[in-house]
Amino acid sequence: MKGKLDPSVRQALVEEGKNLKETLIGLEEDLVELTDKLQLEAQSIPNATHPDVPVGSEESSVVRKEVGSQRSFNFTIKDHLQLGKELDLFDFDAAAEVSGSKFYYLKNEAVLLEMALINWAISEVSKKGFTPLITPEIVRSSVVEKCGFQPRAQNTQVYSIENSDQCLIGTAEIPVGGIHMDSILLDSALPLKYVAYSHCFRTEAGAAGAATRGLYRVHQFSKVEMFIFCRPEESDKWHEELITIEEDLYASLGLHFKTLDMATGDLGAPAYRKFDIEAWMPGLERYGEISSASNCTDYQSRRLGIRYRPTPSEPPPANAKKGKAAGGPTQFVHTLNATAVAVPRLIVCILENFQQDDGSIVIPEPLRPFMGGLEVLSPKSK
């Protein structure tokens, strides 16, 4: 078109250009539709599993480590519901009227205890080189799906916002996973480590029974989550680091717990391998899950479009073309997530494990500086 052309040839080229433009618009629309279809198909395919993961249902999970032992009481123990009532720490009845079942008001020292757990966890994890974050708690449905959750599935755990493409988050893993969406990270910046505070919202569809009573399973709660973006060859190492941080946190509180290598039947779609920590809850008379740590390899990063360009092991040759990206092709990063503190379940553990004969609760030592030096929760005088 730039050269001297016969008018009839020029006009033919103009028409061809118009046709190409129209064809391109149609192809782009087809591409969007096919990408959506591909995304839906991909949701039905879970991640591969680590060769050492036990095969079978949840009962096949293997205990990796056990810390402490069950405390013996020389008095009749109470569960956290009874303790909370006597200490005036929460109100489920008023919350049921205002919001529905599985909601609660925290009151008095329980508010201080929640804030202490959050600030303590962020403080401790930040010392390990994690960047603190407070995340959005409403995210696009597409980001939820790309992280491996299914907001539109039957019995979904996700609250969707009517007449919008947005959801409430069930975990800070989702907005933190999306923070570097569709980007190429610097190799020198990896690993990127975050510790994120958020509220979490879960429908808890299908959950019922005495085992879920009180604070154990609720629709809204506060949580501190750890998240790592790393090079593929380092994700197993960082997985071990995350579970060690969790174990150190709970051991410092004086809890008795066991760490499990979860079996294939208990892995969610994104997890390549998952370690759960279950703590002893004497009032509930059982172990209850208080955290998990998952290596999701490149399952989430492929869907979220998070890559990095490896640093070349050798400098580029002198005759390399200028502007050509050094380091070869990009690769997908690996993502990992782990719970530092799921507040309601740790409140259950603290109340039930550290109750005293007189109905008081001894506050674990690491939390006391975050509660203004408070050492004991005592029953209110009538």
Side-chain angles (χ1 to χ4, degrees):
M1 293 287 284
K2 287 180 181 177
K4 289 182 179 180
L5 295 171
D6 185 273
S8 60
V9 174
R10 182 178 293 276
Q11 187 57 38
L13 289 173
V14 168
E15 291 301 320
E16 187 182 349
K18 283 181 185 175
N19 291 337
L20 284 171
K21 196 172 181 181
E22 287 170 9
T23 303
L24 186 61
I25 290 168
L27 286 171
E28 284 172 343
E29 288 172 354
D30 290 347
L31 179 61
V32 169
E33 190 180 330
L34 284 168
T35 302
D36 287 346
K37 283 183 179 177
L38 179 62
Q39 182 73 31
L40 282 171
E41 289 296 332
Q43 284 176 19
S44 66
I45 306 169
N47 202 347
T49 50
H50 189 287
D52 293 341
V53 171
V55 176
S57 61
E58 187 178 353
E59 293 71 34
S60 303
S61 302
V62 174
V63 175
R64 279 169 48 104
K65 186 176 184 179
E66 192 159 348
V67 173
S69 57
Q70 294 181 21
R71 178 186 164 195
S72 58
F73 295 85
N74 57 6
F75 57 89
T76 303
I77 59 173
K78 302 166 184 174
D79 67 12
H80 71 281
L81 280 167
Q82 191 176 350
L83 291 162
K85 188 174 182 179
E86 292 172 4
L87 293 164
D88 197 21
L89 296 179
F90 26 77
D91 190 335
F92 284 92
D93 295 335
E97 293 294 324
V98 171
S99 303
S101 64
K102 297 188 185 297
F103 288 93
Y104 56 95
Y105 286 95
L106 290 184
K107 298 169 65 179
N108 298 312
E109 292 90 345
V111 176
L112 302 182
L113 184 54
E114 163 150 339
M115 298 300 179
L117 284 163
I118 291 162
N119 287 318
W120 165 73
I122 291 172
S123 173
E124 289 300 308
V125 177
S126 296
K127 292 173 187 174
K128 309 283 186 184
F130 287 70
T131 301
L133 285 179
I134 293 179
T135 73
E137 293 173 356
I138 294 175
V139 297
R140 297 185 190 279
S141 303
S142 57
V143 178
V144 176
E145 290 170 349
K146 287 172 182 178
C147 285
F149 302 90
Q150 299 194 19
R152 290 187 282 269
Q154 202 172 11
N155 286 337
T156 180
Q157 293 295 313
V158 180
Y159 282 108
S160 293
I161 299 172
E162 199 171 5
N163 301 321
S164 81
D165 69 338
Q166 294 170 311
C167 302
L168 298 179
I169 63 169
T171 166
E173 171 191 344
I174 297 165
V176 182
I179 198 170
H180 297 297
M181 189 166 62
D182 298 322
S183 60
I184 298 174
L185 305 175
L186 290 172
D187 188 15
S188 59
L190 297 177
L192 287 167
K193 304 190 291 181
Y194 296 101
V195 55
Y197 163 72
S198 77
H199 295 102
C200 304
F201 305 88
R202 299 184 185 181
T203 66
E204 295 299 352
T212 65
R213 70 183 185 271
L215 287 175
Y216 188 81
R217 199 176 294 282
V218 289
H219 290 306
Q220 176 186 332
F221 60 96
S222 301
K223 183 158 70 83
V224 177
E225 184 81 359
M226 299 179 282
F227 198 99
I228 296 178
F229 300 88
C230 71
R231 300 175 190 88
E233 65 272 16
E234 295 177 347
S235 63
D236 282 341
K237 177 191 81 171
W238 287 115
H239 197 199
E240 293 291 341
E241 169 84 1
L242 286 171
I243 195 64
T244 300
I245 291 172
E246 290 182 339
E247 290 168 346
D248 289 348
L249 287 173
Y250 307 139
S252 74
L253 293 179
L255 300 179
H256 163 49
F257 61 87
K258 53 187 180 180
T259 305
L260 298 109
D261 193 348
M262 301 309 290
T264 51
D266 195 63
L267 299 183
Y272 173 67
R273 192 177 196 182
K274 180 165 78 95
F275 302 140
D276 278 5
I277 291 183
E278 295 184 355
W280 178 243
M281 300 176 179
L284 296 179
E285 299 183 89
R286 64 186 182 89
Y287 289 92
E289 182 192 337
I290 57 169
S291 77
S292 65
S294 299
N295 182 357
C296 297
T297 62
D298 61 359
Y299 187 91
Q300 294 173 328
S301 61
R302 282 178 181 274
R303 289 157 174 75
L304 291 163
I306 308 170
R307 303 166 181 262
Y308 80 105
R309 194 180 301 280
T311 303
S313 52
E314 296 176 10
N319 61 352
K321 286 185 180 177
K322 195 176 180 182
K324 190 91 170 172
T330 57
Q331 294 182 31
F332 290 105
V333 297
H334 279 193
T335 62
L336 304 98
N337 64 82
T339 314
V341 162
V343 170
R345 297 206 178 168
L346 280 190
I347 290 178
V348 172
C349 288
I350 289 167
L351 296 184
E352 294 189 356
N353 281 286
F354 305 127
Q355 60 183 294
Q356 306 301 306
D357 196 2
D358 63 358
S360 63
I361 311 291
V362 175
I363 300 296
E365 213 166 296
L367 300 180
R368 294 175 190 174
F370 299 92
M371 294 185 71
L374 188 65
E375 296 182 8
V376 177
L377 306 186
S378 301
K380 304 285 180 285
S381 54
K382 293 180 181 176

